[in-house]
Amino acid sequence: MMKYNWLTVNATRVVMVAAVVLLMQGCGFVKSKFGGKGGKGGEVGVTNGEITATGRKGWKQPTPYGMVLVPSGSFIMGQADEDVAATQINMNRQVTISSFYMDDAEISNHEYRQYVNALLADSVSTLGEEEIMAKFYPDTTVWKNDFTYHNGDPMLEHYYGHPAFDTYPVVGVSWVAAKHFCKWRTNTLDDFRTKDGGYKSFGFRLPSEAEWEWAARGGKNGAKYPWGNPYVANGKGCYLANFKPQRGNFDADGYPYTAPATAYSPNDYGLYNMAGNVAEWCRDAYADNTNAIVWDMNPDNQNADEPRKVVRGGSWKDIAYYLETGTRYYEYEDQKRSYIGFRCVMDNLEGRTASARGGRSSKAKSSKKASAKKV
């Protein structure tokens, strides 16, 4: 009786394995060697008059330094709570976002300084020192010009240049300058990679408005703030972001002006200050009717003729309404403010292929990609 059961169980296992192999073969997950003849060779081009090329070797997409991987997904984009200002410019809509890498914190003064120093060292002959200083150098006078009758002299003199503020987010940078920084950062990385015999990167850029909102929510669909709902302080009464609490007690959250780029706790994607500290430039041109003109798959409104660009996240000088993940507003692309900074993203092309969801690649290979270290 025991022998009969043992034979029955093993026969059942054989049938199940065979069925799984046939099913995987039909979906294209099993290499042709399981099918007998007709398998392709290694990485070659044309052999004996037949195309035998397979994937090129040596390519991989490491996590860029200072960035975290934001997964792909679908979410309800738009206002997550009452639209206090009654703007009606971010109605709810389901969108899908592909995976990408994002800076875990806003670009800091010291990071931006590397860019300015490089321009002054290498690009004076092409751009001219006057254009570099006017267009790309941070405008430190914003600490006085943005606020009437305000003693901004200490911030004007020390914020960008003093080591005390090295890890604080850069401000006084226009959308045009932020976009140019992304280009310089891309060229710097690609120059190194190509000299080392590697492939070029996919390039750094500003996040689209939809990418920014998806990342800010940290996987919490419908979340009012990056940390969830519905309050701006935790159970101990400690504020969770740098903004304008109460009726203007700027110091109540720990910082009267900006805070270090990695202050406060990150959201569930590992991103710091997606609410408050400094608002952030997005790539999109601003439009009241954005929902009507963009697609629901990776929406991105790039319109060079529209000088208004989307700003998200709220800042140290804003009330809590502007910290909400669904609140959107704008600034003109050439304006520089003491409360607007930025961070970069990079496309994750592996997140747009079958291998990202387990197709064609083994589990072992997928787990290596998931645990890739920063380089």
Side-chain angles (χ1 to χ4, degrees):
M1 192 66 165
M2 290 293 293
K3 184 176 181 182
Y4 171 77
N5 288 340
W6 180 83
L7 290 172
T8 302
V9 169
N10 277 274
T12 303
R13 286 176 178 173
V14 170
V15 171
M16 290 177 66
V17 169
V20 169
V21 170
L22 288 173
L23 180 62
M24 293 177 68
Q25 220 171 359
C27 294
F29 293 138
V30 181
K31 292 183 178 180
S32 56
K33 65 182 181 181
F34 286 98
K37 299 179 180 180
K40 293 186 178 181
E43 182 193 354
V44 290
V46 177
T47 304
N48 298 328
E50 294 186 280
I51 299 176
T52 56
T54 59
R56 286 173 285 180
K57 308 295 183 183
W59 182 86
K60 62 179 181 178
Q61 186 173 8
T63 301
Y65 179 80
M67 287 189 160
V68 296
L69 180 62
V70 178
S72 61
S74 183
F75 75 112
I76 304 300
M77 183 177 177
Q79 210 70 39
D81 199 358
E82 182 182 4
D83 187 358
V84 176
T87 57
Q88 301 296 306
I89 57 172
N90 202 16
M91 308 302 288
N92 294 131
R93 178 191 190 190
Q94 184 166 6
V95 301
T96 301
I97 304 296
S98 296
S99 175
F100 58 93
Y101 295 96
M102 185 178 232
D103 283 325
D104 62 2
E106 298 139 344
I107 297 299
S108 68
N109 282 318
H110 202 41
E111 288 173 324
Y112 194 83
R113 195 178 298 118
Q114 311 311 308
Y115 156 69
V116 172
N117 291 343
L119 290 185
L120 291 172
D122 305 328
S123 303
V124 171
S125 59
T126 55
L127 295 175
E129 184 174 353
E130 185 176 345
E131 181 178 353
I132 292 173
M133 297 303 292
K135 219 177 200 182
F136 307 121
Y137 193 88
D139 183 1
T140 58
T141 65
V142 295
W143 291 107
K144 286 184 68 73
N145 297 337
D146 281 346
F147 312 105
T148 305
Y149 299 111
H150 164 253
N151 180 22
D153 285 346
M155 300 297 284
L156 184 157
E157 294 172 12
H158 302 298
Y159 186 76
Y160 177 65
H162 199 281
F165 294 103
D166 275 351
T167 60
Y168 284 61
V170 68
V171 296
V173 173
S174 68
W175 180 87
V176 173
K179 188 177 178 181
H180 194 265
F181 173 93
C182 295
K183 182 179 179 181
W184 168 82
R185 188 177 179 184
T186 299
N187 291 340
T188 301
L189 178 58
D190 287 349
D191 286 347
F192 172 79
R193 284 189 172 182
T194 52
K195 287 178 183 177
D196 201 39
Y199 295 104
K200 288 186 176 182
S201 68
F202 302 125
F204 298 96
R205 58 176 175 81
L206 294 176
S208 70
E209 181 181 11
E211 287 173 333
W212 191 96
E213 185 172 327
W214 167 246
R217 293 178 186 272
K220 292 181 169 67
N221 203 0
K224 182 177 179 180
Y225 300 109
W227 50 83
N229 294 321
Y231 306 112
V232 292
N234 61 19
K236 297 180 179 179
C238 300
Y239 287 107
L240 300 171
N242 181 20
F243 66 113
K244 181 181 179 179
Q246 303 165 18
R247 293 192 177 185
N249 186 356
F250 289 94
D251 203 44
D253 52 39
Y255 299 91
Y257 291 100
T258 57
T262 53
Y264 305 96
S265 298
N267 70 3
D268 286 353
Y269 286 159
L271 300 166
Y272 293 88
N273 289 307
M274 293 300 285
N277 209 21
V278 293
E280 299 177 14
W281 289 113
C282 293
R283 182 164 69 170
D284 300 56
Y286 177 85
D288 287 340
N289 63 336
T290 291
N291 276 351
I293 61 177
V294 297
W295 200 31
D296 52 4
M297 175 66 182
N298 291 319
D300 188 4
N301 180 22
Q302 295 190 61
N303 181 3
D305 296 326
E306 173 55 73
R308 298 177 300 171
K309 304 303 180 185
V310 173
V311 177
R312 286 299 200 104
S315 74
W316 61 269
K317 64 101 183 160
D318 291 317
I319 60 174
Y321 168 73
Y322 291 97
L323 272 60
E324 295 181 18
T325 55
T327 301
R328 61 193 299 262
Y329 48 109
Y330 67 87
E331 183 56 87
Y332 287 89
E333 62 185 30
D334 60 349
Q335 293 297 300
K336 301 179 179 183
R337 299 297 185 189
S338 61
Y339 45 85
I340 300 179
F342 69 100
R343 70 180 81 206
C344 305
V345 299
M346 177 186 284
D347 290 317
N348 173 27
L349 291 201
E350 288 189 344
R352 301 187 181 209
T353 63
S355 61
R357 295 188 179 275
R360 298 186 183 272
S361 295
S362 66
K363 290 183 179 179
K365 197 175 289 185
S366 297
S367 63
K368 287 180 181 178
K369 291 172 184 174
S371 60
K373 297 180 179 178
K374 292 183 177 181
V375 294

